Every structure is written in C-alpha cells, then in structure tokens.
Amino acid sequence: MKRLLWLGVGLAVGAVVVHKLTRKAHSYTPGGIAESLSESAGGFVASLRSFVDDVREGMAEREQEIHQAFADGVLYEDEFAELRDDERIGDRNIFPEEGRR
C-alpha cells in the first residue's frame, strides 16, 4: 500500500514538473516569444491610452477654467506665461508687412 502511495505521489510530481518544463520551453519558441511581445505591447498601449486620457481630461479642465473666467469677465491670469518665451499676440504686430509700407 505504501508503495502505491509513493508511486502516485511520484507520478503527480512528475506530471507537474513536465507541465512546467513544457511551458518554459514554449516561452523560448518563436510563438512563445511573439506572445510575450504581444502581451508587453498590449500593456504599453494600455498605459499610453491611460496617459492620453489623463492629459485630455486636464486639458478640458483647464479650458473650462479659461471659459468660465471669460464668461465672468475676469482677467484670467496665465500662470504659465513666464515659462514660454514667445510673445503674446496682443503685444506684437500681426501683419508686419503693413508697417513697411
């Protein structure tokens, strides 16, 4: 009876080991590598979509703040103006060729 128990345990352990080794060997085949790359690319695409959604949400929020300030007639302070090195449209001549005539 003990021999039969140990035979069963050995067969079960052997089956698990063979299954794991087969999985590991499949991961090194071209098909396994393609699956792995596909999963990695899928995760990257999902995180990229999440980032883009966050940026769009922030842009919509900021745009709403600007529209609300305009509707209230409040001078909207551009807190990022000093970070840009471009001039504001109101500060420069839009049609420079008119000044040369």
Side-chain angles (χ1 to χ4, degrees):
M1 190 67 171
K2 282 185 177 182
R3 288 183 184 178
L4 204 52
L5 174 71
W6 288 113
L7 179 64
V9 169
L11 287 173
V13 169
V16 169
V17 168
V18 166
H19 180 69
K20 288 192 180 237
L21 286 175
T22 303
R23 272 182 162 180
K24 195 65 165 174
H26 176 70
S27 70
Y28 292 112
T29 62
I33 292 171
E35 288 174 11
S36 175
L37 288 175
S38 174
E39 290 172 6
S40 297
F44 175 72
V45 168
S47 64
L48 186 62
R49 280 191 182 134
S50 174
F51 172 73
V52 168
D53 290 342
D54 290 344
V55 169
R56 284 184 179 159
E57 183 179 314
M59 285 172 41
E61 198 173 288
R62 182 87 169 145
E63 185 177 359
Q64 183 62 33
E65 291 174 3
I66 293 170
H67 285 294
Q68 187 62 42
F70 183 75
D72 294 342
V74 176
L75 178 62
Y76 187 77
E77 291 296 325
D78 186 5
E79 59 194 63
F80 299 108
E82 66 273 357
L83 297 176
R84 292 189 302 267
D85 57 354
D86 63 337
E87 298 175 11
R88 307 309 315 155
I89 290 176
D91 298 339
R92 62 181 171 180
N93 188 359
I94 297 174
F95 305 106
E97 53 277 342
E98 286 182 7
R100 292 185 216 158
R101 290 184 191 181

